[in-house]
Amino acid sequence: NIASYLLYGLFEKRLFLLEEAEGGFDQFTRSYRTFGVNRMADNRLVLREWAPAAEALFLTGDFNGWDNFSHPYEKKEFGKWELCLPPKHDKSPAIEHNTKLKVVVHTKKGERLYRISPWAKYAIQTEKQVIYDWVHWDPPQPYLHIHPRPKKPQSLRIYESHVGIASPDPKVASYTNFTTNVLPRIKDLGYNCIQLMAVMEHAYYASFGYQVTSFFAASSRYGTPEELKQLIDTAHSLDIVVLLDVVHSHASQNTEDGLNSFDGSDSCFFHSPPRGEHALWGSRLFNYSSWEVLRFLLSNLRWWMEEYRFDGFRFDGVTSMMYHHHGIGSMFSGDYSEYFGLQVDEDSLVYLMTANHVLHTLYPDCITIAEDVSGMPAVCRSVAEGGLGFDYRLAMAIPDKWIQILKELADEAWDMGNIVYTLTNRRYGENCIAYAESHDQFVVGDKSLAFWLMDKEMYTNMSSLIPMTPVIDRGIQLHKMIRLLTHALGGEGYLNFMGNEFGHPEWLDFPRKGNNESYHYARRQYNLLDTDHLRYRQLYDFDRDMNRTEDKYGWLAAPPAFVSAKHEGDKVIVFERGNVLFLLNFHPTRSQTNYRVAVASPGKYTIKLDSDEVQYGGHGRLDHNTEFFTEPQPFNERDNSMLVRNISERENSMLLLSQL
């Protein structure tokens, strides 16, 4: 349309200016080699910052005894400042590895401010100190990646993860713990992609990583940058790609250890207030029209790809970026007037197009995912088509629908047509990541699907040594069915938040004043799987086999499903995708026997996955040696149908059959 054509024109102009002013985007997006602190071949240190509103800049730190005036930066054009430090007499760098630094900013108002470089590669919080310190990170023996990046998966199965909570212990877990104890579980479960949250340094742990203070620094609360590199390298050795949850939609309001007011002004990297402040998040909003902001953000993406060898990004807060209203108070009905008009932030859209163009040009297998709730058209179409260039968008309506159903509806009132509509309501040709729940669904104030289904009985009745109560029976069966239906029908990729695969109880709540700094809900209780008689293991096994079955048949990479039945009276959903037939019975009290369903291809079908198997917490009443044959309908010989003797001999069950 005309809007896409005009937007593409702005993008082309941006690329032309990059070529003209910077010689192209390759060097421009490697600006982390020239900004911040960089060691030259002769061990000279060159330091460069952009602080257009500053009157003077100085460097202080351990290296000069914290002298605030001995090392001034030289003012350059376009608001840039530069300092060159020759090596010591022994030819070693003037600033040693793992020592503290500060930029001292003198403002035009006569203030003296102490700041962390926006390009800082490492920041730490010492004990009993609130403010993070900038630490020069230049190890004499940096980690060297051994394993090549895996190929881009055809079917993306994502394990959304937070390193800090990846342990049953009430503490902040480490990169090394994740590498040693969590990566093997992810591999066993059949996930081929990890989405790492809260890696970009954030001073406030309870922000879940979404109030970033240092954009180029991997969070030190989990360990060192080298340990994160080892985590990613080990994942690559397991043929697992790793995505970074990148936050370019906003930044923390922190000044001493964040980007805010770096040069003493109310703008610099951001728009001046009120445009530069997010009313709900209490954070600062980037000025995407600024040349130096473009340098900073694009180089940030390149840094994570090159230095840490991430395989792509999940872009947080894309809805907020795309609209001047940031999605606040907007219901997004799907009317096209909501997507094209003065409410759209063209600078932001051009930035996203440029970011995706750079990433996919330099790294053809790079994966980018947009967190967008608005349904903006062409988010997942190529930049050449006038789209934003993302590979996937999150299907954010699906988890909301499941939570709504579990909160508001009795089992008898479940609307099969509405469920199918929600799972299939996506733009053709724009790939979606489907999920039944992510971290969003059970932060404090909400809870996991398993807890919605089984609640307090999870504390007392999850043992397989005692008979299942009706609540546990219903909860376990529906937990499996909801996830499989979402997996198979909801998108072209699938996401699960760590621990939810085995029905993790309760909710997430990070240590804060309101809970007496408790870690009780800021952990993942993987130890529940190590107790064999607990039914968490049964849910884990089903999730594992669901992923392995998808890996074999590839329904996520197949065209959208054909839904042949969504029967309200029987509470049955039947569909085909990837040469696999799915049958789900959501009826709370009635099994379906001698049930005839339509199929696309005649022949013999066999069971490949049955949620009612005993190993998955089911009742095991179906003979898996049964073969199903199609029969032509007498009224039309071109139509095929199959008589299923039992979907299950109990309610709430699911079959997955494949043609021989």
Side-chain angles (χ1 to χ4, degrees), residues 555-585:
W555 59 71
L556 288 171
F562 175 75
V563 181
S564 58
K566 39 190 176 181
H567 198 290
E568 299 301 340
D570 295 338
K571 301 298 181 192
V572 166
I573 297 173
V574 182
F575 61 94
E576 291 183 77
R577 190 177 184 191
N579 295 318
V580 176
L581 177 66
F582 297 83
L583 300 93
L584 296 101
N585 174 30

Side-chain angles (χ1 to χ4, degrees), residues 92 114 125 153 160 394 464 485:
S92 64
Y114 294 89
Q125 185 182 40
E160 185 185 30
L394 294 179
S464 60
L485 181 59

Side-chain angles (χ1 to χ4, degrees), residues 29-48:
T29 58
R30 290 181 185 265
S31 291
Y32 50 81
R33 292 181 172 181
T34 53
F35 282 76
V37 183
N38 286 280
R39 179 166 52 86
M40 303 296 105
D42 61 358
N43 276 349
R44 281 182 306 121
L45 294 178
V46 178
L47 299 90
R48 185 178 288 116

Side-chain angles (χ1 to χ4, degrees), residues 144-205:
L144 299 177
H145 293 267
I146 301 170
H147 304 283
R149 284 191 173 103
K151 292 183 178 179
K152 183 177 180 178
Q154 291 294 312
S155 296
L156 200 62
R157 301 183 297 273
I158 303 171
Y159 198 79
E160 185 185 30
S161 304
H162 186 296
V163 171
I165 66 173
S167 163
D169 300 323
K171 64 178 184 180
V172 178
S174 66
Y175 295 123
T176 300
N177 166 74
F178 196 94
T179 302
T180 304
N181 298 318
V182 183
L183 283 181
R185 294 187 189 273
I186 297 172
K187 179 64 176 178
D188 179 61
L189 281 163
Y191 291 94
N192 55 19
C193 177
I194 299 167
Q195 180 179 298
L196 281 183
M197 307 171 57
V199 168
M200 302 167 78
E201 190 59 88
H202 49 292
Y204 184 42
Y205 188 44

Side-chain angles (χ1 to χ4, degrees), residues 132 136 217 224 245 259 303 386 429 472 609 621 632:
Y132 270 68
H136 178 54
T224 68
D245 198 342
L259 284 184
W303 165 256
I472 296 296
L609 188 65
R621 298 182 181 180

